[in-house]
Amino acid sequence: MVWRNQTFDFDFILLGIFNHSPNHIFLFSLVLGIFSVAFVGNTAMVLLIHLDTQLHTPMYFLLSQLSLMDLMLISTTVPKMAFNYLSGSKLLSLAGCGTQIFFYVSLLGAECFLLAVMAYDRYVAICHPLRYTILMNPKLCVLMTVSSWVLGSLDGIIVLAATLSFSYCSSLEIHHFFCDVAALLPLSCTDTATFERLLFICCVVMLVFPVSVIVGSYSRVLGAVIGMGSEERRRRAFTTCSSHLSVVGLYYGAAMFMYMRPASNYTPAQDKMVSAFYTILTPMLNPLIYSLHNKEVARGFQRLLKRRKLI
């Protein structure tokens, strides 16, 4: 068995998710379509919130950060997958693999914390509306957002450093469409038990803690919504919160399935589909969910279009 020690001069082989059969060509075209919708939708959301001053509130600032993270996440995996499929090349350098791992893990972690911040924002807005401008002032909002990015990046650095410290065997075939940590561990000749425990602890911090904040926030929100006397206020609060809860359910369910289990339970075919769900489909759904459920976003698009026509 050939060991690839710390030479950093070898390439991995991405086996991908598609072959060139008619069905898979159709699925590949569908993925490209989803990528295009996700790319355009998230870019439009970021630009709209930046350009429309009426959307310069903590809620929409956080939403713009979520769209930016989704935009970066889908750009980390899909372009390389598409290039390999169209060119016939399956090679991925160690540097390219490390880059994917860092951005992928960092963005997933940052989104975990950002979704918790968004839940806290809705809790303050609905349960303490008179103190909202104090409890969610711009400085605090930016601080919590930056903290989400920093904590996610720290997680990415830890996982990347540990992954690059392993030795890899002669078989460097990754049964995935991108360089995922869970798919990389079976290729290591090094005992990864300690790293798996570290990864599990990171997942507890990055997933369970934010979920606890989200559950606690929305428990309070639910009680406040039920007690509202106005039917219109109840409807608006429910619409806003349901959008966020839809995103949380899609995101955390898949992430917990992927990373809060031992590597021995890794099944390539199943995990490819789950990864495709929350790295490709979820970034497309997020802007659609928020734009369809949020009248302010729709009005913002209308205001922006009218402004462009006047120019």
Side-chain angles (χ1 to χ4, degrees):
M1 180 178 292
V2 179
W3 282 36
R4 315 277 175 154
N5 254 333
Q6 313 307 323
T7 56
F8 301 101
D9 62 350
F10 59 90
D11 294 329
F12 291 103
I13 300 172
L14 283 176
L15 296 182
I17 193 172
F18 301 120
N19 56 41
H20 290 278
S21 67
N23 288 340
H24 279 222
I25 291 173
F26 169 76
L27 290 174
F28 173 74
S29 302
L30 183 62
V31 166
L32 285 187
I34 292 173
F35 171 79
S36 300
V37 172
F39 189 89
V40 172
N42 285 291
T43 301
M45 193 69 74
V46 172
L47 292 176
L48 171 66
I49 294 171
H50 174 72
L51 295 172
D52 191 343
T53 56
Q54 294 190 36
L55 297 180
H56 289 181
T57 64
M59 173 183 169
Y60 292 106
F61 172 73
L62 295 173
L63 179 56
S64 72
Q65 294 300 297
L66 178 66
S67 292
L68 179 60
M69 290 176 185
D70 281 338
L71 185 61
M72 294 176 65
L73 180 62
I74 198 170
S75 298
T76 300
T77 57
V78 177
K80 178 60 178 176
M81 178 198 71
F83 174 81
N84 284 2
Y85 182 80
L86 294 173
S87 67
S89 171
K90 295 185 178 182
L91 297 180
L92 178 67
S93 67
L94 183 62
C97 181
T99 300
Q100 281 195 336
I101 289 175
F102 172 74
F103 281 105
Y104 179 74
V105 174
S106 297
L107 291 166
L108 287 181
E111 280 203 32
C112 284
F113 287 109
L114 186 70
L115 288 172
V117 173
M118 293 175 73
Y120 172 74
D121 171 70
R122 290 302 83 207
Y123 158 71
V124 174
I126 293 172
C127 298
H128 303 283
L130 299 180
R131 301 176 61 196
Y132 181 73
T133 55
I134 299 173
L135 295 176
M136 277 300 291
N137 61 76
K139 185 180 293 186
L140 179 60
C141 183
V142 170
L143 178 62
M144 289 192 292
T145 303
V146 170
S147 298
S148 298
W149 282 98
V150 171
L151 289 171
S153 297
L154 286 175
D155 188 38
I157 291 171
I158 292 171
V159 173
L160 176 61
T163 304
L164 292 181
S165 70
F166 297 148
S167 296
Y168 293 94
C169 302
S170 55
S171 176
L172 297 176
E173 294 182 344
I174 301 177
H175 291 266
H176 219 303
F177 61 92
F178 68 96
C179 200
D180 184 32
V181 176
L184 206 58
L185 290 181
L187 306 182
S188 176
C189 303
T190 311
D191 182 12
T192 61
T194 301
F195 174 70
E196 287 183 47
R197 286 193 290 270
L198 174 64
L199 187 62
F200 181 81
I201 292 171
C202 285
C203 286
V204 169
V205 175
M206 308 297 282
L207 293 174
V208 176
F209 174 71
V211 165
S212 301
V213 173
I214 292 169
V215 170
S217 297
Y218 278 107
S219 297
R220 297 290 187 89
V221 167
L222 181 61
V225 169
I226 292 174
M228 287 179 178
S230 169
E231 181 66 30
E232 177 63 19
R233 287 187 63 197
R234 265 203 305 269
R235 187 192 62 78
R236 289 182 62 188
F238 177 78
T239 299
T240 302
C241 294
S242 64
S243 300
H244 187 216
L245 286 174
S246 298
V247 172
V248 167
L250 290 171
Y251 181 81
Y252 281 101
M256 285 182 172
F257 173 82
M258 281 295 297
Y259 296 107
M260 295 193 68
R261 60 193 176 126
S264 57
N265 291 343
Y266 177 80
T267 53
Q270 187 180 47
D271 289 0
K272 282 180 187 179
M273 298 308 298
V274 176
S275 294
F277 176 77
Y278 74 89
T279 60
I280 300 174
L281 189 61
T282 302
M284 181 199 73
L285 292 176
N286 285 353
L288 294 179
I289 289 172
Y290 280 107
S291 61
L292 291 175
H293 282 213
N294 195 309
K295 291 183 179 179
E296 285 302 317
V297 172
R299 293 192 190 106
F301 275 115
Q302 292 173 1
R303 286 192 295 266
L304 189 61
L305 291 174
K306 288 179 181 178
R307 194 186 311 166
R308 294 302 175 192
K309 286 180 180 179
L310 291 176
I311 294 175

